[in-house]
Amino acid sequence: MATQTGLTDTAPLLRGGSFQASSSTTVHPTHDVSDEAPEISRKPDETIEGPQAEDPAELPPAPADNPQRPHQEDTLSALPARTASSISTAKLEAPPSMHNRRSTGESLKTIREDLSFPRIKPVILPFACLMGGVILALGHHIFNNWADGRTVGKSPNISQQWVLRVGTAFAFAFQTILAASLSFVVCQILWYYARSKSMTLQDLNTLYLIERRDVVPTFMSNALVRAPFLVLVVTFSLLLPIAAIFSPASLSVIFLVTNTSGPCVVSAANITDGANSTHIYSAEDGFVLSGVSGPALKITQRALVGGVIPSLPMFCGDNCIYEASMDSMTFECQEGVTLPAGQMGTVDPAHPAPGTRTYWNATSDGPANDPTLPFYVGWMTNAYTDGMEQYLDGTSGSAYCTPMLAHYNFSVQWLNGVQTVSYTTEITGPMPPSTHFDQNNDQPTFAALQIGAIGLAARNQLLGSLSITSNPGGSRDAYNSSVISASFLNVSTIGVESYVWGDVVVGIQETAANITASMLQLNLGGMKSSTCIYTNQNLVYAYHWLGLWIPYGVCTVYDRRDDNHL
């Protein structure tokens, strides 16, 4: 019975050509087969599935490969009939051979033989994008260089908005073309990691999220270990907008001031021209100086108060600089001299007591109406309140000042309605007498009278005293000097009555200069032709080339490095 069953089961296999076996081969089992393997009912051509189908790789080698092993017929005949039938079926369903299978990559030989665009695209596209970015950067540079130094809205007549829009368009076009290049590179790198490393589906999903610029998986996953170069390229692509942010600012607008020379007509400032100059002095009997004229005195007082020069004429209009030279006077002071007795009052600062506290006292060393004579001046910084003294942060000292002839060179600038006056001073000698005849019994010259009047006006502003006399019954203020209005004195009445002096010697010399400059308001020798400096103010474009090439250069270099890694 066992023999008959085996012949029946192998018949379909023989017809199918799975293997050949002699029809006379019989199997004589030592015991009943049905007791060890359950009988499987199937159709003759049905393929066995499940655990009974063994892996072809585990099958024993063919008899031709190993002559020491028994022939196939002997092997099959040595097995139960149903087991032999299962082996034959498994061999019939073995997978196809791996010999002709192609890899997912293409060999270099294949690529060289086929130069179609799909195959050379990974090489051409990044290079083309790189060259496009370089061309855009050069175009942006040429445009900014063309606009550099041009007046806004005038040369040519293009509004500032459109100039800035063109620069912004260059910047965003540069960013866009490099972003396209990096996107292609990212896809290639993603494909490289997917082919070269074994990954789970979760790892692959993470790589695709990184390729889509998802920040969380890019920096908070194991992608830094699994695909570090992909993370690096994606990180750089996130920084590309920097080029579009910084490069438009390489072209800015600045306020440019330029000076050009041109002809003009200004005051001759010739104070010694008796025929064409306004008289600054007033004369006694028409021969010697007796005082200062009304217009000159008013100008002098305005120059002293605030320590600034009054508004001078705009001989060449606004936004112009003109120069004027004038002979006048100044004070040459020697500091730290011994003052006459009682010059600074009767109060000893080391031993406060009732008496006179003097904060300023300037006395002439001779007749007060002679502008050629020197004067003593003493000053003290102090505060007074109810018989107590408090020293403040100021200067205290003494000086002996002598009037001297001087030559001034003034430069007067008007810019947007604001006046700025600068000057240089050169002492030329002692002042000639103006209040009396000289040693040759000659009357004062017109120049001596004019300059003497300026000296008298300046000195009269400084002579006098500022003091406070205190006694058990109260105090009395004695302010008999115009110096209380001087710019180098700070008088405060907040809390205490204080007198704080600045640089007194410099203040005295500036007072003489301010009075002299103020005389330019008068007609001094008529007008003369001169050369003035005209100030032109324009809004122009300024090109800062580092602001363009640093962001463009960094992006181009990194894009090139990423392309080289493909």
Side-chain angles (χ1 to χ4, degrees):
M1 292 297 294
T3 303
Q4 183 65 31
T5 303
L7 292 174
T8 304
D9 291 337
T10 57
L13 296 177
L14 292 173
R15 289 193 300 269
S18 298
F19 63 88
Q20 296 179 358
S22 175
S23 60
S24 60
T25 302
T26 59
V27 178
H28 302 282
T30 58
H31 54 274
D32 193 356
V33 177
S34 62
D35 295 336
E36 296 182 10
E39 184 175 352
I40 300 175
S41 175
R42 62 180 178 83
K43 295 181 181 180
D45 296 333
E46 183 180 2
T47 303
I48 299 176
E49 299 178 359
Q52 293 182 355
E54 299 178 3
D55 190 341
E58 298 179 0
L59 295 177
D65 297 335
N66 191 354
Q68 301 298 328
R69 301 204 38 132
H71 293 289
Q72 183 178 7
E73 295 85 357
D74 298 337
T75 303
L76 294 175
S77 62
L79 297 174
R82 294 185 182 276
T83 303
S85 177
S86 299
I87 293 174
S88 301
T89 305
K91 290 177 64 178
L92 178 64
E93 300 297 330
S97 172
M98 302 288 290
H99 178 67
N100 294 324
R101 182 180 178 185
R102 298 175 60 188
S103 64
T104 55
E106 299 293 344
S107 65
L108 293 177
K109 180 179 180 181
T110 305
I111 294 177
R112 283 194 295 267
E113 293 176 353
D114 185 3
L115 294 180
S116 60
F117 179 75
R119 293 189 180 276
I120 64 175
K121 181 180 178 181
V123 179
I124 296 299
L125 183 58
F127 179 76
C129 291
L130 178 64
M131 293 305 299
V134 172
I135 292 173
L136 287 172
L138 288 174
H140 199 174
H141 167 75
I142 294 173
F143 175 77
N144 285 357
N145 197 52
W146 168 82
D148 187 29
R150 293 179 178 267
T151 303
V152 175
K154 292 184 179 179
S155 56
N157 190 17
I158 301 176
S159 64
Q160 179 183 356
Q161 291 85 350
W162 278 107
V163 172
L164 297 180
R165 287 168 185 167
V166 171
T168 304
F170 272 114
F172 275 91
F174 178 87
Q175 175 198 349
T176 302
I177 197 168
L178 286 194
S181 175
L182 284 180
S183 298
F184 183 80
V185 172
V186 167
C187 291
Q188 297 296 316
I189 297 174
L190 172 63
W191 179 235
Y192 166 77
Y193 280 115
R195 289 175 52 195
S196 62
K197 293 187 178 182
S198 58
M199 297 184 182
T200 63
L201 290 177
Q202 183 178 359
D203 293 336
L204 289 174
N205 183 62
T206 301
L207 294 185
Y208 276 99
L209 290 177
I210 295 174
E211 185 267 338
R212 290 175 174 84
R213 285 29 172 211
D214 194 330
V215 177
V216 174
T218 301
F219 301 105
M220 302 179 65
S221 68
N222 63 347
L224 290 172
V225 179
R226 305 284 294 180
F229 188 64
L230 177 63
V231 174
L232 177 64
V233 176
V234 170
T235 302
F236 175 70
S237 68
L238 295 176
L239 300 178
L240 273 181
I242 292 179
I245 294 173
F246 286 97
S247 56
S250 61
L251 186 66
S252 61
V253 175
I254 62 173
F255 192 74
L256 182 64
V257 178
T258 58
N259 295 325
T260 58
S261 299
C264 61
V265 178
V266 300
S267 171
N270 187 1
I271 200 172
T272 62
D273 185 359
N276 299 307
S277 294
T278 300
H279 287 202
I280 299 175
Y281 67 93
S282 61
E284 181 180 349
D285 297 331
F287 297 106
V288 296
L289 178 67
S290 61
V292 183
S293 66
L297 183 61
K298 182 177 181 180
I299 292 174
T300 300
Q301 292 175 344
R302 292 174 59 188
L304 177 70
V305 177
V308 296
I309 300 174
S311 296
L312 301 180
M314 293 183 181
F315 290 116
C316 56
D318 197 8
N319 298 333
C320 176
I321 301 175
Y322 67 88
E323 296 182 352
S325 298
M326 181 186 302
D327 290 324
S328 184
M329 57 79 57
T330 188
F331 293 103
E332 188 176 45
C333 297
Q334 179 184 356
E335 296 187 66
V337 300
T338 301
L339 299 175
Q343 179 88 8
M344 296 304 293
T346 60
V347 172
D348 184 2
H351 304 86
T356 301
R357 293 176 176 84
T358 301
Y359 302 105
W360 171 276
N361 192 9
T363 58
S364 176
D365 190 12
N369 64 341
D370 189 350
T372 64
L373 297 180
F375 63 91
Y376 287 96
V377 59
W379 65 94
M380 180 178 65
T381 294
N382 200 357
Y384 171 78
T385 174
D386 297 335
M388 299 180 63
E389 296 185 29
Q390 179 181 358
Y391 287 90
L392 305 175
D393 186 15
T395 63
S396 298
S398 61
Y400 186 72
C401 298
T402 302
M404 301 291 290
L405 284 177
H407 183 78
Y408 289 88
N409 292 311
F410 293 101
S411 178
V412 183
Q413 178 183 20
W414 282 96
L415 183 63
N416 296 329
V418 178
Q419 172 187 277
T420 303
V421 180
S422 59
Y423 63 89
T424 60
T425 307
E426 180 183 2
I427 296 178
T428 57
M431 289 184 62
S434 57
T435 58
H436 57 273
F437 285 58
D438 61 13
Q439 64 273 19
N440 297 323
N441 201 27
D442 292 332
Q443 70 178 42
T445 63
F446 180 80
L449 293 174
Q450 292 279 76
I451 296 175
I454 294 176
L456 183 62
R459 206 175 70 136
N460 287 344
Q461 300 295 326
L462 301 173
L463 295 179
S465 65
L466 305 176
S467 62
I468 297 178
T469 301
S470 61
N471 52 58
S475 62
R476 178 175 58 86
D477 300 335
Y479 300 149
N480 58 0
S481 175
S482 300
V483 77
I484 196 171
S485 302
S487 61
F488 49 89
L489 170 62
N490 181 17
V491 179
S492 174
T493 57
I494 301 177
V496 295
E497 188 174 354
S498 63
Y499 300 83
V500 181
W501 298 95
D503 194 332
V504 172
V505 172
V506 172
I508 291 174
Q509 294 172 345
E510 287 182 347
T511 298
N514 293 344
I515 293 175
T516 300
S518 301
M519 298 302 166
L520 291 174
Q521 294 179 329
L522 304 177
N523 180 22
L524 301 177
M527 306 296 287
K528 69 175 183 178
S529 298
S530 179
T531 300
C532 297
I533 300 176
Y534 296 92
T535 302
N536 301 314
Q537 305 175 82
N538 295 307
L539 286 175
V540 299
Y541 296 107
Y543 175 33
H544 311 282
W545 61 273
L546 286 178
L548 177 76
W549 285 112
I550 288 179
Y552 277 177
V554 171
C555 292
T556 303
V557 169
Y558 273 93
D559 181 78
R560 180 59 181 165
R561 291 183 59 184
D562 296 339
D563 294 345
N564 290 338
H565 283 81
L566 287 179

